Coordinates of all heavy atoms in Angstrom, one line a residue:
F1563 N -10.9 37.4 -78.7 CA -10.8 38.6 -77.7 C -12.1 39.3 -78.0 O -12.4 39.7 -79.1 CB -9.6 39.4 -78.1 CG -9.6 40.7 -77.2 CD1 -9.2 40.6 -75.9 CD2 -10.0 41.9 -77.8 CE1 -9.2 41.8 -75.1 CE2 -9.9 43.1 -77.0 CZ -9.5 42.9 -75.7
A1564 N -13.0 39.4 -77.0 CA -14.3 40.0 -77.1 C -14.5 41.1 -76.0 O -14.0 41.0 -74.9 CB -15.3 39.0 -76.9
T1565 N -15.3 42.1 -76.4 CA -15.6 43.1 -75.5 C -17.1 43.3 -75.5 O -17.7 44.1 -76.3 CB -15.0 44.5 -75.9 OG1 -13.6 44.3 -75.9 CG2 -15.3 45.6 -74.9
P1566 N -17.8 42.5 -74.6 CA -19.3 42.7 -74.7 C -19.8 43.9 -73.9 O -19.2 44.1 -72.7 CB -19.8 41.3 -73.9 CG -18.6 40.5 -73.9 CD -17.4 41.4 -73.9
I1567 N -20.6 44.6 -74.3 CA -21.1 45.8 -73.7 C -22.6 45.6 -73.4 O -23.4 45.3 -74.4 CB -20.9 47.0 -74.5 CG1 -19.4 47.4 -74.7 CG2 -21.7 48.3 -73.9 CD1 -19.1 48.5 -75.6
A1568 N -23.0 45.6 -72.2 CA -24.5 45.4 -71.8 C -25.1 46.5 -71.1 O -24.5 47.3 -70.2 CB -24.4 44.2 -71.0
V1569 N -26.4 46.7 -71.3 CA -27.2 47.8 -70.7 C -28.4 47.1 -70.2 O -29.2 46.5 -71.0 CB -27.5 49.0 -71.6 CG1 -28.4 49.9 -70.8 CG2 -26.2 49.7 -72.1
E1570 N -28.7 47.1 -68.8 CA -29.8 46.5 -68.3 C -30.7 47.6 -67.5 O -29.9 48.3 -66.8 CB -29.5 45.3 -67.4 CG -30.7 44.6 -66.7 CD -30.3 43.4 -66.0 OE1 -29.1 43.2 -65.7 OE2 -31.2 42.6 -65.8
I1571 N -31.8 47.7 -67.6 CA -32.6 48.7 -66.9 C -33.9 48.1 -66.3 O -34.6 47.1 -66.9 CB -33.0 49.9 -68.0 CG1 -33.7 51.0 -67.2 CG2 -33.9 49.3 -69.0 CD1 -34.0 52.2 -68.0
G1572 N -34.2 48.5 -65.1 CA -35.3 48.0 -64.4 C -36.5 48.8 -64.9 O -36.7 50.1 -64.6
V1573 N -37.4 48.2 -65.6 CA -38.6 48.9 -66.1 C -39.6 49.1 -65.1 O -40.3 50.1 -64.9 CB -39.2 48.1 -67.4 CG1 -40.4 48.7 -67.9 CG2 -38.1 47.9 -68.4
T1574 N -39.9 48.0 -64.4 CA -40.8 48.1 -63.1 C -40.0 47.4 -62.0 O -38.9 47.0 -62.1 CB -42.2 47.3 -63.4 OG1 -41.9 45.9 -63.4 CG2 -42.8 47.6 -64.7
K1575 N -40.7 47.2 -60.8 CA -40.1 46.6 -59.8 C -39.8 45.1 -59.9 O -38.9 44.5 -59.2 CB -40.8 46.9 -58.4 CG -42.1 46.2 -58.3 CD -42.8 46.4 -57.0 CE -44.1 45.7 -57.0 NZ -44.8 46.0 -55.6
R1576 N -40.3 44.5 -60.9 CA -40.3 43.1 -61.2 C -39.7 42.7 -62.6 O -39.5 41.7 -62.9 CB -41.5 42.4 -60.9 CG -41.9 42.3 -59.4 CD -43.1 41.3 -59.2 NE -43.4 41.3 -57.8 CZ -42.8 40.4 -56.9 NH1 -41.9 39.6 -57.3 NH2 -43.2 40.5 -55.7
V1577 N -39.7 43.8 -63.4 CA -39.3 43.4 -64.8 C -38.1 44.3 -65.3 O -38.1 45.5 -65.0 CB -40.5 43.7 -65.8 CG1 -40.2 43.5 -67.3 CG2 -41.7 42.8 -65.4
S1578 N -37.2 43.7 -66.0 CA -36.0 44.4 -66.5 C -35.8 44.1 -68.0 O -36.1 43.0 -68.4 CB -34.8 44.2 -65.6 OG -34.4 42.8 -65.8
L1579 N -35.2 44.9 -68.6 CA -34.8 44.6 -70.0 C -33.2 44.8 -70.2 O -32.7 45.6 -69.5 CB -35.4 45.6 -71.0 CG -36.9 45.5 -71.2 CD1 -37.5 46.7 -72.1 CD2 -37.2 44.2 -71.9
K1580 N -32.6 44.0 -71.0 CA -31.2 43.9 -71.2 C -30.8 43.8 -72.7 O -31.4 42.9 -73.4 CB -30.5 42.8 -70.3 CG -29.0 42.8 -70.3 CD -28.5 41.7 -69.5 CE -27.0 41.8 -69.4 NZ -26.3 40.7 -68.5

Side-chain angles (χ1 to χ4, degrees):
F1563 175 77
T1565 305
I1567 297 176
V1569 176
E1570 185 176 13
I1571 186 170
V1573 179
T1574 71
K1575 67 178 181 178
R1576 291 189 178 273
V1577 177
S1578 67
L1579 292 175
K1580 184 177 182 180

